[in-house]
Amino acid sequence: MNMFAKICKGIAIPLFKVLFPYQVVNKNCLPETGKFIVCSNHISMKDPIFIGMTQNRLPNFMAKEELFRNKFVAAVIRKLGAFPVYRGSGDAKAMETAFNILKQGEVLGIFPEGTRSKDGNLLRPKPGIAIFAYQENAPILPVAIVAHNGKVRLFHKTAIVYGEPILPEELGITTGSGPELRNASRLIMSRIAALREIGLKMIEQGKPVSQNS
């Protein structure tokens, strides 16, 4: 994590604890070294911040191209590791960047749904998401971000629940065919769905469930 990211994290943690109080299950569970893919559901623009605050390694997030149109915003999020993707166009440059991140032993951050959920319910995953894990033999860290009614609001609790890593061989991909990639993407989302249920209980009960914050 570069110095700029460390400074941002140091500012964000106390600020979010007051404005957007959050609870974490399996905080800082990413290994200190080695390639990894963090796969999360997507309910808010704050999702990358929640993940960045609760892990000791900062994922390099694939982010929609629109965020990079403002030069100041683009400069900030690039320093935090984000890179643009043109959605719906099979962005070859973004794919190459993602593969290079993993080749360099770093952490790639992806939202498998490809867009934010308006009500917090899980959306259908993009079928090509699993290709990164398959081609680079990279384990996946599933995470669910959960808020009341699917909306991250001021002074309302958010739960961030990390699960056990999904190893590449668990995805059942042998040839990289379309059906295999779709099944693997569904598997990833099923793990996120199970973590989301834990997060919903945390929100509903108003207290942590097996929390490590």
Side-chain angles (χ1 to χ4, degrees), residues 17-37:
K17 283 189 176 293
V18 174
L19 298 180
F20 304 100
Y22 60 92
Q23 295 175 325
V24 191
V25 174
N26 290 335
K27 181 179 180 182
N28 289 334
C29 58
L30 273 173
E32 293 185 5
T33 59
K35 65 180 75 173
F36 239 93
I37 303 171

Side-chain angles (χ1 to χ4, degrees), residues 1-12:
M1 189 179 296
N2 60 46
M3 184 56 66
F4 180 75
K6 289 180 179 178
I7 292 171
C8 289
K9 184 174 181 176
I11 294 171

Side-chain angles (χ1 to χ4, degrees), residues 116-162:
R116 279 178 290 161
S117 170
K118 294 181 179 179
D119 58 8
N121 290 317
L122 298 182
L123 306 176
R124 182 180 298 177
K126 299 296 182 183
I129 293 300
I131 198 169
F132 299 110
Y134 166 61
Q135 292 197 8
E136 292 302 322
N137 196 38
I140 295 168
L141 179 65
V143 53
I145 300 174
V146 187
H148 183 64
N149 290 333
K151 303 289 185 182
V152 177
R153 293 186 175 92
L154 280 169
F155 310 118
H156 286 71
K157 185 169 67 177
T158 299
I160 302 107
V161 186
Y162 293 94

Side-chain angles (χ1 to χ4, degrees), residues 68-80:
F68 294 82
R69 294 177 185 176
N70 180 291
K71 291 183 178 180
F72 174 76
V73 173
V76 170
I77 61 178
R78 283 185 188 278
K79 283 184 174 292
L80 295 175

Side-chain angles (χ1 to χ4, degrees), residues 43-119:
I43 63 171
S44 165
M45 293 291 287
K46 303 171 188 68
D47 295 341
I49 302 175
F50 282 125
I51 292 172
M53 290 189 301
T54 55
Q55 289 298 323
N56 49 15
R57 296 174 68 189
L58 186 67
N60 298 270
F61 273 100
M62 185 181 289
K64 62 181 182 180
E65 176 271 337
E66 291 90 336
L67 294 175
F68 294 82
R69 294 177 185 176
N70 180 291
K71 291 183 178 180
F72 174 76
V73 173
V76 170
I77 61 178
R78 283 185 188 278
K79 283 184 174 292
L80 295 175
F83 62 98
V85 59
Y86 289 81
R87 294 181 295 183
S89 65
D91 191 338
K93 185 176 180 180
M95 294 284 285
E96 181 182 2
T97 300
F99 282 122
N100 284 338
I101 287 168
L102 295 173
K103 289 180 188 297
Q104 293 166 13
E106 298 181 15
V107 182
L108 174 66
I110 298 178
F111 297 110
E113 298 157 297
T115 188
R116 279 178 290 161
S117 170
K118 294 181 179 179
D119 58 8

